[in-house]
Amino acid sequence: MLSILTGDSSLIFCIKPPGVLSQAAPGREESMLTLLQAQLSGPVWPVHRLDRGVGGVMVFARTQPAAAALSQAVAQHLVQKEYLAILRGRPEQEEGELRDLLYKDSARGKSFVVSRMRKGVKEASLSYRLLAEAEGRSLVLIRLHTGRSHQIRVQFASRGMPLIGDGKYGGGSGEIGLWSCRLTCPGYRGIRPFRVSAAPEGSLWIPFRQAIAEEIPEGNDSF
């Protein structure tokens, strides 16, 4: 059973477990979409995605008008997406903004930081804040300003700080240290404002338990 956080007749917020696809081709593989539809005994519509290995807060629409409105809000960057990430190493600055040009190589399934704008290249930016350090690793809170493929992973890896467990970008094997911890939207075209958060669980996050509890208090402050 998926963990349902909150919702109403238009939206449903839940936890995506790491390893589950956000959405898959019909009949090919189990995904958040199929699991949620079965659990709710009704249709839901996806409006954003998380990488397969990444867990955390996701929102799905329960009606087509809500899906259209929320998809537009996401496209206009009105939905604020925040993540917790565990980095190998430590950022030079305790907080800052990363800006890059990213090229997505679909054939290789990877994104790369490049030096100039050309076909297939998009601007990417995020801000971060250092929350804690332990065992040569850093816990950072990240706010996305753009939503590029593998953005968080490649932007930090390109600076010598790959995410723990991110084998694709040099972080080694195991569970990836990335979690969608909070979604916030001011309200848009009939959709009520929301702010939904959830802390990660599992042994990977234990060294940072106190810092996470301070940043992501128990309970939900949505709607």
Side-chain angles (χ1 to χ4, degrees):
M1 294 284 286
L2 296 174
S3 176
I4 304 298
L5 300 173
T6 188
D8 60 11
S9 59
S10 298
L11 306 175
I12 189 78
F13 296 85
C14 58
I15 296 293
K16 174 190 173 299
V20 178
L21 286 170
S22 295
Q23 186 179 0
R28 287 193 60 187
E29 191 171 352
E30 196 173 62
S31 69
M32 284 297 295
L33 191 61
T34 58
L35 291 171
L36 198 55
Q37 287 174 336
Q39 188 167 329
L40 298 176
S41 299
V44 293
W45 287 264
V47 295
H48 71 121
R49 298 188 181 193
L50 292 177
D51 292 344
R52 183 173 193 153
V54 180
V57 182
M58 289 192 72
V59 59
F60 289 82
R62 304 191 73 170
T63 68
Q64 287 185 315
L70 194 54
S71 294
Q72 190 169 9
V74 170
Q76 294 177 359
H77 307 296
L78 299 177
V79 176
Q80 186 181 97
K81 302 177 182 178
E82 294 175 88
Y83 295 79
L84 291 171
I86 302 176
L87 312 177
R88 178 177 292 169
R90 181 190 189 280
E92 290 186 8
Q93 304 295 325
E94 291 195 358
E95 57 183 295
E97 185 171 344
L98 305 185
R99 291 181 173 272
D100 291 294
L101 296 176
L102 297 188
Y103 172 72
K104 180 182 177 181
D105 187 333
S106 298
R108 298 172 63 183
K110 293 183 68 173
S111 293
F112 299 88
V113 172
V114 296
S115 59
R116 61 183 178 84
M117 184 63 73
R118 62 179 189 270
K119 184 178 180 180
V121 173
K122 295 182 178 180
E123 294 182 347
S125 67
L126 60 80
S127 56
Y128 72 88
R129 177 163 53 90
L130 178 66
L131 299 182
E133 299 175 64
E135 304 170 356
R137 303 174 176 185
S138 300
L139 177 72
V140 294
L141 177 70
I142 297 163
R143 180 174 295 176
L144 282 182
H145 304 309
T146 57
R148 310 307 182 199
S149 178
H150 297 177
Q151 178 181 333
I152 293 172
R153 299 160 62 183
V154 69
Q155 285 197 274
F156 281 100
S158 71
R159 290 165 171 83
M161 297 174 290
L163 275 62
I164 294 299
D166 188 2
K168 181 164 285 192
Y169 293 99
S173 60
E175 180 184 350
I176 189 170
L178 185 60
W179 180 267
S180 169
C181 65
R182 186 179 293 124
L183 292 176
T184 307
C185 184
Y188 186 80
R189 294 194 174 182
I191 297 175
R192 289 193 291 168
F194 61 81
R195 179 179 170 87
V196 182
S197 57
E201 298 180 355
S203 59
L204 180 66
W205 305 91
I206 288 176
F208 302 105
R209 182 177 295 168
Q210 181 176 344
I212 291 172
E214 292 173 357
E215 186 64 39
I216 312 292
E218 290 187 11
N220 240 310
D221 49 2
S222 59
F223 302 101

Short mmCIF file of all heavy atoms in Angstrom, two decimals, residues 146-214:
data_model
loop_
_atom_site.label_atom_id
_atom_site.label_comp_id
_atom_site.label_asym_id
_atom_site.label_seq_id
_atom_site.Cartn_x
_atom_site.Cartn_y
_atom_site.Cartn_z
N THR A 146 14.49 25.07 -11.98
CA THR A 146 14.14 24.46 -13.27
C THR A 146 14.00 22.96 -13.03
O THR A 146 14.41 22.46 -11.99
CB THR A 146 15.22 24.72 -14.33
OG1 THR A 146 16.49 24.24 -13.85
CG2 THR A 146 15.33 26.21 -14.65
N GLY A 147 13.45 22.25 -13.99
CA GLY A 147 13.23 20.82 -13.80
C GLY A 147 13.83 19.99 -14.91
O GLY A 147 13.12 19.34 -15.66
N ARG A 148 15.15 20.00 -15.01
CA ARG A 148 15.83 19.28 -16.08
C ARG A 148 16.09 17.82 -15.67
O ARG A 148 16.16 17.50 -14.50
CB ARG A 148 17.15 19.96 -16.44
CG ARG A 148 17.05 21.44 -16.69
CD ARG A 148 16.00 21.79 -17.71
NE ARG A 148 15.96 23.23 -17.96
CZ ARG A 148 14.94 23.86 -18.51
NH1 ARG A 148 13.85 23.18 -18.87
NH2 ARG A 148 14.97 25.16 -18.70
N SER A 149 16.30 16.98 -16.67
CA SER A 149 16.56 15.56 -16.42
C SER A 149 17.84 15.38 -15.60
O SER A 149 18.89 15.89 -15.96
CB SER A 149 16.70 14.83 -17.76
OG SER A 149 16.99 13.47 -17.57
N HIS A 150 17.71 14.67 -14.47
CA HIS A 150 18.84 14.37 -13.59
C HIS A 150 19.53 15.64 -13.08
O HIS A 150 20.72 15.61 -12.71
CB HIS A 150 19.88 13.50 -14.29
CG HIS A 150 19.37 12.15 -14.68
ND1 HIS A 150 20.12 11.24 -15.38
CD2 HIS A 150 18.17 11.54 -14.49
CE1 HIS A 150 19.43 10.14 -15.60
NE2 HIS A 150 18.22 10.30 -15.07
N GLN A 151 18.82 16.74 -13.03
CA GLN A 151 19.46 18.04 -12.76
C GLN A 151 20.27 18.07 -11.48
O GLN A 151 21.44 18.46 -11.48
CB GLN A 151 18.39 19.14 -12.73
CG GLN A 151 18.98 20.51 -12.41
CD GLN A 151 17.94 21.60 -12.36
OE1 GLN A 151 16.90 21.51 -13.00
NE2 GLN A 151 18.20 22.65 -11.61
N ILE A 152 19.65 17.72 -10.36
CA ILE A 152 20.36 17.78 -9.08
C ILE A 152 21.59 16.88 -9.13
O ILE A 152 22.68 17.27 -8.69
CB ILE A 152 19.42 17.35 -7.94
CG1 ILE A 152 18.29 18.37 -7.76
CG2 ILE A 152 20.19 17.20 -6.62
CD1 ILE A 152 17.20 17.94 -6.79
N ARG A 153 21.40 15.70 -9.66
CA ARG A 153 22.47 14.71 -9.67
C ARG A 153 23.68 15.20 -10.46
O ARG A 153 24.83 15.11 -9.99
CB ARG A 153 21.94 13.40 -10.22
CG ARG A 153 20.81 12.82 -9.39
CD ARG A 153 19.96 11.81 -10.15
NE ARG A 153 20.75 10.65 -10.57
CZ ARG A 153 20.25 9.66 -11.29
NH1 ARG A 153 18.98 9.68 -11.68
NH2 ARG A 153 21.02 8.63 -11.64
N VAL A 154 23.45 15.71 -11.65
CA VAL A 154 24.57 16.09 -12.51
C VAL A 154 25.18 17.42 -12.08
O VAL A 154 26.40 17.61 -12.19
CB VAL A 154 24.14 16.13 -13.99
CG1 VAL A 154 23.18 17.27 -14.27
CG2 VAL A 154 25.36 16.24 -14.90
N GLN A 155 24.39 18.35 -11.55
CA GLN A 155 24.96 19.63 -11.15
C GLN A 155 25.94 19.48 -9.99
O GLN A 155 27.00 20.10 -9.96
CB GLN A 155 23.85 20.64 -10.81
CG GLN A 155 23.15 21.19 -12.04
CD GLN A 155 22.37 22.46 -11.74
OE1 GLN A 155 21.22 22.40 -11.31
NE2 GLN A 155 22.99 23.60 -11.95
N PHE A 156 25.59 18.66 -9.01
CA PHE A 156 26.52 18.45 -7.89
C PHE A 156 27.68 17.55 -8.30
O PHE A 156 28.83 17.79 -7.90
CB PHE A 156 25.77 17.89 -6.68
CG PHE A 156 25.02 18.92 -5.91
CD1 PHE A 156 23.65 19.08 -6.07
CD2 PHE A 156 25.69 19.77 -5.03
CE1 PHE A 156 22.96 20.06 -5.37
CE2 PHE A 156 25.00 20.75 -4.32
CZ PHE A 156 23.63 20.90 -4.48
N ALA A 157 27.41 16.52 -9.09
CA ALA A 157 28.49 15.63 -9.52
C ALA A 157 29.53 16.38 -10.34
O ALA A 157 30.73 16.10 -10.23
CB ALA A 157 27.92 14.47 -10.33
N SER A 158 29.10 17.33 -11.15
CA SER A 158 30.04 18.08 -11.99
C SER A 158 30.98 18.94 -11.16
O SER A 158 32.02 19.38 -11.65
CB SER A 158 29.27 18.96 -12.99
OG SER A 158 28.63 20.04 -12.33
N ARG A 159 30.64 19.16 -9.89
CA ARG A 159 31.47 19.95 -8.98
C ARG A 159 32.21 19.06 -7.98
O ARG A 159 32.70 19.54 -6.96
CB ARG A 159 30.59 20.97 -8.25
CG ARG A 159 30.09 22.08 -9.19
CD ARG A 159 28.95 22.88 -8.57
NE ARG A 159 28.65 24.05 -9.38
CZ ARG A 159 27.87 24.04 -10.46
NH1 ARG A 159 27.32 22.89 -10.86
NH2 ARG A 159 27.64 25.14 -11.14
N GLY A 160 32.29 17.77 -8.29
CA GLY A 160 33.03 16.85 -7.45
C GLY A 160 32.30 16.39 -6.21
O GLY A 160 32.94 15.89 -5.28
N MET A 161 30.98 16.54 -6.19
CA MET A 161 30.18 16.15 -5.03
C MET A 161 29.00 15.28 -5.48
O MET A 161 27.84 15.70 -5.38
CB MET A 161 29.67 17.39 -4.29
CG MET A 161 30.74 18.27 -3.71
SD MET A 161 30.06 19.79 -3.00
CE MET A 161 29.54 20.67 -4.49
N PRO A 162 29.27 14.08 -5.98
CA PRO A 162 28.16 13.24 -6.42
C PRO A 162 27.26 12.84 -5.26
O PRO A 162 27.70 12.80 -4.11
CB PRO A 162 28.86 12.02 -7.02
CG PRO A 162 30.17 11.95 -6.29
CD PRO A 162 30.57 13.40 -6.09
N LEU A 163 26.02 12.56 -5.57
CA LEU A 163 25.10 12.07 -4.55
C LEU A 163 25.46 10.64 -4.18
O LEU A 163 25.76 9.82 -5.05
CB LEU A 163 23.66 12.13 -5.05
CG LEU A 163 22.91 13.46 -4.88
CD1 LEU A 163 23.59 14.58 -5.67
CD2 LEU A 163 21.46 13.31 -5.33
N ILE A 164 25.43 10.35 -2.90
CA ILE A 164 25.72 9.01 -2.42
C ILE A 164 24.77 8.02 -3.10
O ILE A 164 23.56 8.25 -3.18
CB ILE A 164 25.55 8.95 -0.89
CG1 ILE A 164 26.61 9.81 -0.20
CG2 ILE A 164 25.61 7.51 -0.40
CD1 ILE A 164 28.04 9.39 -0.47
N GLY A 165 25.31 6.91 -3.59
CA GLY A 165 24.51 5.88 -4.22
C GLY A 165 24.15 6.12 -5.67
O GLY A 165 23.48 5.29 -6.29
N ASP A 166 24.60 7.24 -6.22
CA ASP A 166 24.27 7.55 -7.61
C ASP A 166 25.37 7.05 -8.53
O ASP A 166 26.27 7.79 -8.94
CB ASP A 166 24.09 9.07 -7.78
CG ASP A 166 23.55 9.45 -9.15
OD1 ASP A 166 23.28 8.53 -9.96
OD2 ASP A 166 23.39 10.65 -9.41
N GLY A 167 25.32 5.76 -8.86
CA GLY A 167 26.35 5.15 -9.68
C GLY A 167 26.49 5.75 -11.06
O GLY A 167 27.57 5.76 -11.63
N LYS A 168 25.43 6.28 -11.59
CA LYS A 168 25.47 6.86 -12.94
C LYS A 168 26.36 8.09 -12.99
O LYS A 168 26.96 8.40 -14.03
CB LYS A 168 24.05 7.21 -13.39
CG LYS A 168 23.97 7.80 -14.78
CD LYS A 168 22.55 7.78 -15.33
CE LYS A 168 22.15 6.39 -15.74
NZ LYS A 168 20.91 6.35 -16.55
N TYR A 169 26.47 8.81 -11.87
CA TYR A 169 27.25 10.04 -11.86
C TYR A 169 28.40 10.01 -10.84
O TYR A 169 28.83 11.05 -10.34
CB TYR A 169 26.33 11.24 -11.59
CG TYR A 169 25.36 11.49 -12.72
CD1 TYR A 169 24.04 11.04 -12.64
CD2 TYR A 169 25.76 12.15 -13.88
CE1 TYR A 169 23.14 11.25 -13.68
CE2 TYR A 169 24.87 12.36 -14.93
CZ TYR A 169 23.57 11.91 -14.82
OH TYR A 169 22.68 12.12 -15.87
N GLY A 170 28.87 8.80 -10.51
CA GLY A 170 30.07 8.69 -9.70
C GLY A 170 29.87 8.60 -8.20
O GLY A 170 30.83 8.75 -7.44
N GLY A 171 28.65 8.33 -7.76
CA GLY A 171 28.38 8.28 -6.33
C GLY A 171 28.41 6.90 -5.71
O GLY A 171 28.11 6.75 -4.52
N GLY A 172 28.79 5.87 -6.49
CA GLY A 172 28.87 4.53 -5.95
C GLY A 172 27.54 3.81 -5.99
O GLY A 172 26.54 4.32 -6.50
N SER A 173 27.51 2.60 -5.45
CA SER A 173 26.31 1.77 -5.50
C SER A 173 25.46 1.95 -4.25
O SER A 173 25.88 2.56 -3.27
CB SER A 173 26.71 0.30 -5.63
OG SER A 173 27.50 -0.10 -4.52
N GLY A 174 24.25 1.37 -4.30
CA GLY A 174 23.35 1.44 -3.16
C GLY A 174 22.21 2.40 -3.39
O GLY A 174 22.00 2.90 -4.51
N GLU A 175 21.46 2.66 -2.34
CA GLU A 175 20.33 3.58 -2.43
C GLU A 175 20.83 4.99 -2.69
O GLU A 175 21.79 5.45 -2.06
CB GLU A 175 19.51 3.54 -1.13
CG GLU A 175 18.32 4.48 -1.13
CD GLU A 175 17.59 4.50 0.21
OE1 GLU A 175 17.91 3.65 1.07
OE2 GLU A 175 16.73 5.39 0.41
N ILE A 176 20.18 5.70 -3.59
CA ILE A 176 20.60 7.06 -3.89
C ILE A 176 20.16 8.02 -2.79
O ILE A 176 19.05 7.92 -2.26
CB ILE A 176 20.06 7.52 -5.26
CG1 ILE A 176 20.68 8.86 -5.66
CG2 ILE A 176 18.54 7.59 -5.26
CD1 ILE A 176 20.37 9.26 -7.10
N GLY A 177 21.04 8.94 -2.42
CA GLY A 177 20.75 9.90 -1.37
C GLY A 177 20.01 11.11 -1.89
O GLY A 177 20.53 12.24 -1.87
N LEU A 178 18.79 10.90 -2.35
CA LEU A 178 17.96 11.99 -2.86
C LEU A 178 16.51 11.71 -2.52
O LEU A 178 16.02 10.60 -2.76
CB LEU A 178 18.15 12.15 -4.37
CG LEU A 178 17.45 13.34 -5.04
CD1 LEU A 178 17.92 14.66 -4.46
CD2 LEU A 178 17.66 13.31 -6.55
N TRP A 179 15.82 12.71 -1.96
CA TRP A 179 14.46 12.52 -1.48
C TRP A 179 13.64 13.78 -1.73
O TRP A 179 14.08 14.89 -1.38
CB TRP A 179 14.48 12.21 0.01
CG TRP A 179 13.14 11.99 0.65
CD1 TRP A 179 12.37 12.95 1.27
CD2 TRP A 179 12.40 10.77 0.73
NE1 TRP A 179 11.20 12.39 1.75
CE2 TRP A 179 11.20 11.05 1.42
CE3 TRP A 179 12.64 9.48 0.29
CZ2 TRP A 179 10.24 10.06 1.67
CZ3 TRP A 179 11.70 8.50 0.55
CH2 TRP A 179 10.51 8.80 1.23
N SER A 180 12.48 13.63 -2.33
CA SER A 180 11.55 14.76 -2.52
C SER A 180 10.85 15.02 -1.20
O SER A 180 9.98 14.26 -0.79
CB SER A 180 10.53 14.40 -3.61
OG SER A 180 9.48 15.35 -3.65
N CYS A 181 11.24 16.08 -0.52
CA CYS A 181 10.77 16.29 0.86
C CYS A 181 9.60 17.27 0.97
O CYS A 181 8.90 17.26 1.99
CB CYS A 181 11.90 16.74 1.76
SG CYS A 181 12.61 18.36 1.35
N ARG A 182 9.37 18.13 -0.03
CA ARG A 182 8.30 19.10 0.12
C ARG A 182 7.82 19.62 -1.23
O ARG A 182 8.62 19.91 -2.12
CB ARG A 182 8.78 20.29 0.97
CG ARG A 182 7.71 21.30 1.32
CD ARG A 182 8.26 22.43 2.18
NE ARG A 182 8.66 21.95 3.51
CZ ARG A 182 9.88 22.10 4.03
NH1 ARG A 182 10.83 22.69 3.32
NH2 ARG A 182 10.15 21.66 5.24
N LEU A 183 6.50 19.75 -1.37
CA LEU A 183 5.88 20.39 -2.52
C LEU A 183 5.01 21.53 -2.02
O LEU A 183 4.24 21.36 -1.08
CB LEU A 183 5.02 19.40 -3.30
CG LEU A 183 5.72 18.26 -4.05
CD1 LEU A 183 4.68 17.33 -4.67
CD2 LEU A 183 6.64 18.80 -5.13
N THR A 184 5.12 22.69 -2.67
CA THR A 184 4.35 23.86 -2.26
C THR A 184 3.79 24.56 -3.50
O THR A 184 4.50 24.74 -4.48
CB THR A 184 5.24 24.87 -1.49
OG1 THR A 184 5.89 24.21 -0.42
CG2 THR A 184 4.40 26.03 -0.95
N CYS A 185 2.50 24.93 -3.44
CA CYS A 185 1.87 25.65 -4.53
C CYS A 185 0.95 26.71 -3.94
O CYS A 185 0.22 26.43 -2.97
CB CYS A 185 1.07 24.71 -5.41
SG CYS A 185 0.34 25.51 -6.85
N PRO A 186 0.95 27.94 -4.45
CA PRO A 186 0.12 29.00 -3.88
C PRO A 186 -1.36 28.87 -4.22
O PRO A 186 -2.17 29.66 -3.75
CB PRO A 186 0.72 30.27 -4.52
CG PRO A 186 1.26 29.81 -5.83
CD PRO A 186 1.78 28.42 -5.58
N GLY A 187 -1.73 27.90 -5.03
CA GLY A 187 -3.12 27.79 -5.50
C GLY A 187 -3.20 28.30 -6.92
O GLY A 187 -2.56 29.31 -7.27
N TYR A 188 -3.99 27.61 -7.75
CA TYR A 188 -3.97 27.97 -9.17
C TYR A 188 -5.22 27.44 -9.85
O TYR A 188 -5.52 26.25 -9.80
CB TYR A 188 -2.72 27.36 -9.83
CG TYR A 188 -2.49 27.78 -11.25
CD1 TYR A 188 -1.92 29.01 -11.54
CD2 TYR A 188 -2.83 26.95 -12.31
CE1 TYR A 188 -1.69 29.40 -12.86
CE2 TYR A 188 -2.60 27.31 -13.62
CZ TYR A 188 -2.03 28.55 -13.89
OH TYR A 188 -1.80 28.93 -15.19
N ARG A 189 -6.00 28.33 -10.45
CA ARG A 189 -7.15 27.98 -11.28
C ARG A 189 -8.06 26.93 -10.65
O ARG A 189 -8.29 25.85 -11.20
CB ARG A 189 -6.68 27.51 -12.65
CG ARG A 189 -6.02 28.63 -13.43
CD ARG A 189 -5.86 28.27 -14.91
NE ARG A 189 -5.35 29.43 -15.66
CZ ARG A 189 -5.15 29.43 -16.96
NH1 ARG A 189 -5.41 28.34 -17.67
NH2 ARG A 189 -4.69 30.51 -17.56
N GLY A 190 -8.54 27.24 -9.45
CA GLY A 190 -9.48 26.35 -8.78
C GLY A 190 -8.84 25.33 -7.87
O GLY A 190 -9.53 24.66 -7.10
N ILE A 191 -7.52 25.18 -7.93
CA ILE A 191 -6.81 24.27 -7.04
C ILE A 191 -6.43 25.00 -5.76
O ILE A 191 -5.86 26.09 -5.81
CB ILE A 191 -5.55 23.72 -7.72
CG1 ILE A 191 -5.92 22.90 -8.95
CG2 ILE A 191 -4.75 22.85 -6.75
CD1 ILE A 191 -4.72 22.42 -9.73
N ARG A 192 -6.76 24.42 -4.63
CA ARG A 192 -6.45 25.07 -3.36
C ARG A 192 -4.94 25.10 -3.11
O ARG A 192 -4.21 24.23 -3.59
CB ARG A 192 -7.13 24.32 -2.22
CG ARG A 192 -8.65 24.52 -2.19
CD ARG A 192 -9.23 24.04 -0.88
NE ARG A 192 -9.14 22.58 -0.76
CZ ARG A 192 -9.36 21.92 0.38
NH1 ARG A 192 -9.63 22.58 1.49
NH2 ARG A 192 -9.28 20.61 0.42
N PRO A 193 -4.46 26.08 -2.35
CA PRO A 193 -3.03 26.11 -2.00
C PRO A 193 -2.66 24.86 -1.22
O PRO A 193 -3.47 24.32 -0.46
CB PRO A 193 -2.90 27.36 -1.13
CG PRO A 193 -4.09 28.20 -1.46
CD PRO A 193 -5.19 27.24 -1.79
N PHE A 194 -1.43 24.41 -1.38
CA PHE A 194 -0.98 23.27 -0.61
C PHE A 194 0.49 23.40 -0.26
O PHE A 194 1.26 24.09 -0.93
CB PHE A 194 -1.24 21.96 -1.35
CG PHE A 194 -0.53 21.82 -2.68
CD1 PHE A 194 0.80 21.43 -2.74
CD2 PHE A 194 -1.20 22.06 -3.87
CE1 PHE A 194 1.45 21.30 -3.95
CE2 PHE A 194 -0.55 21.93 -5.09
CZ PHE A 194 0.78 21.55 -5.13
N ARG A 195 0.85 22.74 0.81
CA ARG A 195 2.26 22.63 1.25
C ARG A 195 2.36 21.29 1.96
O ARG A 195 1.86 21.12 3.07
CB ARG A 195 2.64 23.78 2.17
CG ARG A 195 4.08 23.74 2.69
CD ARG A 195 4.31 24.96 3.58
NE ARG A 195 5.56 24.91 4.31
CZ ARG A 195 6.74 25.34 3.83
NH1 ARG A 195 6.79 25.84 2.61
NH2 ARG A 195 7.83 25.27 4.57
N VAL A 196 2.99 20.34 1.32
CA VAL A 196 3.02 18.97 1.82
C VAL A 196 4.48 18.51 1.95
O VAL A 196 5.27 18.69 1.03
CB VAL A 196 2.27 18.01 0.86
CG1 VAL A 196 2.27 16.59 1.41
CG2 VAL A 196 0.84 18.50 0.65
N SER A 197 4.81 17.95 3.10
CA SER A 197 6.19 17.53 3.32
C SER A 197 6.23 16.16 3.97
O SER A 197 5.27 15.71 4.60
CB SER A 197 6.92 18.55 4.21
OG SER A 197 6.24 18.72 5.44
N ALA A 198 7.36 15.47 3.81
CA ALA A 198 7.57 14.17 4.41
C ALA A 198 9.07 13.92 4.52
O ALA A 198 9.82 14.22 3.60
CB ALA A 198 6.91 13.06 3.60
N ALA A 199 9.49 13.37 5.65
CA ALA A 199 10.90 13.07 5.89
C ALA A 199 11.24 11.68 5.36
O ALA A 199 10.40 10.78 5.38
CB ALA A 199 11.20 13.16 7.38
N PRO A 200 12.47 11.49 4.91
CA PRO A 200 12.88 10.16 4.44
C PRO A 200 13.10 9.21 5.60
O PRO A 200 13.39 9.62 6.72
CB PRO A 200 14.20 10.45 3.71
CG PRO A 200 14.74 11.66 4.40
CD PRO A 200 13.54 12.48 4.78
N GLU A 201 12.99 7.92 5.30
CA GLU A 201 13.27 6.87 6.27
C GLU A 201 14.34 5.95 5.71
O GLU A 201 14.66 5.99 4.53
CB GLU A 201 12.00 6.08 6.58
CG GLU A 201 10.89 6.92 7.21
CD GLU A 201 9.65 6.11 7.50
OE1 GLU A 201 9.63 4.92 7.12
OE2 GLU A 201 8.72 6.64 8.12
N GLY A 202 14.91 5.12 6.56
CA GLY A 202 15.92 4.18 6.11
C GLY A 202 17.29 4.50 6.69
O GLY A 202 17.57 5.62 7.13
N SER A 203 18.16 3.50 6.66
CA SER A 203 19.47 3.61 7.31
C SER A 203 20.36 4.68 6.69
O SER A 203 21.20 5.26 7.38
CB SER A 203 20.18 2.25 7.25
OG SER A 203 20.34 1.82 5.91
N LEU A 204 20.18 4.94 5.42
CA LEU A 204 21.01 5.94 4.73
C LEU A 204 20.91 7.30 5.41
O LEU A 204 21.88 8.06 5.46
CB LEU A 204 20.57 6.05 3.27
CG LEU A 204 21.33 7.04 2.38
CD1 LEU A 204 22.77 6.60 2.20
CD2 LEU A 204 20.65 7.17 1.02
N TRP A 205 19.74 7.63 5.95
CA TRP A 205 19.47 8.96 6.48
C TRP A 205 19.69 9.06 7.99
O TRP A 205 19.60 10.16 8.55
CB TRP A 205 18.04 9.36 6.14
CG TRP A 205 17.76 9.28 4.68
CD1 TRP A 205 17.28 8.20 3.98
CD2 TRP A 205 17.98 10.31 3.70
NE1 TRP A 205 17.17 8.49 2.64
CE2 TRP A 205 17.61 9.78 2.43
CE3 TRP A 205 18.45 11.61 3.77
CZ2 TRP A 205 17.69 10.51 1.27
CZ3 TRP A 205 18.55 12.35 2.59
CH2 TRP A 205 18.17 11.80 1.36
N ILE A 206 20.01 7.96 8.66
CA ILE A 206 20.14 7.96 10.12
C ILE A 206 21.17 8.97 10.64
O ILE A 206 20.90 9.66 11.62
CB ILE A 206 20.45 6.53 10.63
CG1 ILE A 206 19.20 5.65 10.49
CG2 ILE A 206 20.93 6.56 12.08
CD1 ILE A 206 19.42 4.20 10.88
N PRO A 207 22.36 9.10 10.04
CA PRO A 207 23.32 10.08 10.56
C PRO A 207 22.82 11.52 10.56
O PRO A 207 23.38 12.37 11.26
CB PRO A 207 24.53 9.91 9.62
CG PRO A 207 24.39 8.54 9.06
CD PRO A 207 22.91 8.33 8.92
N PHE A 208 21.77 11.78 9.79
CA PHE A 208 21.26 13.15 9.67
C PHE A 208 19.86 13.30 10.28
O PHE A 208 19.13 14.24 9.97
CB PHE A 208 21.23 13.56 8.20
CG PHE A 208 22.57 13.49 7.52
CD1 PHE A 208 22.86 12.46 6.64
CD2 PHE A 208 23.55 14.43 7.78
CE1 PHE A 208 24.09 12.38 6.02
CE2 PHE A 208 24.79 14.37 7.16
CZ PHE A 208 25.06 13.34 6.28
N ARG A 209 19.48 12.35 11.12
CA ARG A 209 18.11 12.30 11.63
C ARG A 209 17.71 13.60 12.32
O ARG A 209 16.62 14.12 12.11
CB ARG A 209 17.96 11.12 12.59
CG ARG A 209 16.56 10.94 13.15
CD ARG A 209 16.48 9.71 14.03
NE ARG A 209 16.69 8.49 13.26
CZ ARG A 209 16.91 7.31 13.82
NH1 ARG A 209 16.97 7.18 15.12
NH2 ARG A 209 17.07 6.24 13.05
N GLN A 210 18.57 14.14 13.16
CA GLN A 210 18.22 15.34 13.91
C GLN A 210 18.02 16.54 12.98
O GLN A 210 17.05 17.29 13.11
CB GLN A 210 19.29 15.67 14.95
CG GLN A 210 18.98 16.90 15.80
CD GLN A 210 19.99 17.15 16.88
OE1 GLN A 210 20.78 16.27 17.22
NE2 GLN A 210 19.98 18.35 17.45
N ALA A 211 18.94 16.72 12.04
CA ALA A 211 18.83 17.84 11.10
C ALA A 211 17.57 17.73 10.25
O ALA A 211 16.90 18.73 9.97
CB ALA A 211 20.07 17.92 10.22
N ILE A 212 17.23 16.51 9.86
CA ILE A 212 16.03 16.29 9.06
C ILE A 212 14.78 16.61 9.87
O ILE A 212 13.84 17.25 9.38
CB ILE A 212 15.99 14.84 8.53
CG1 ILE A 212 17.10 14.63 7.49
CG2 ILE A 212 14.63 14.53 7.90
CD1 ILE A 212 17.27 13.20 7.06
N ALA A 213 14.75 16.18 11.13
CA ALA A 213 13.60 16.44 12.00
C ALA A 213 13.39 17.93 12.20
O ALA A 213 12.25 18.40 12.29
CB ALA A 213 13.79 15.73 13.33
N GLU A 214 14.47 18.68 12.28
CA GLU A 214 14.35 20.13 12.46
C GLU A 214 13.82 20.81 11.20
O GLU A 214 13.10 21.80 11.28
CB GLU A 214 15.71 20.72 12.85
CG GLU A 214 16.18 20.28 14.22
CD GLU A 214 17.61 20.73 14.52
OE1 GLU A 214 18.24 21.32 13.61
OE2 GLU A 214 18.09 20.47 15.63
#
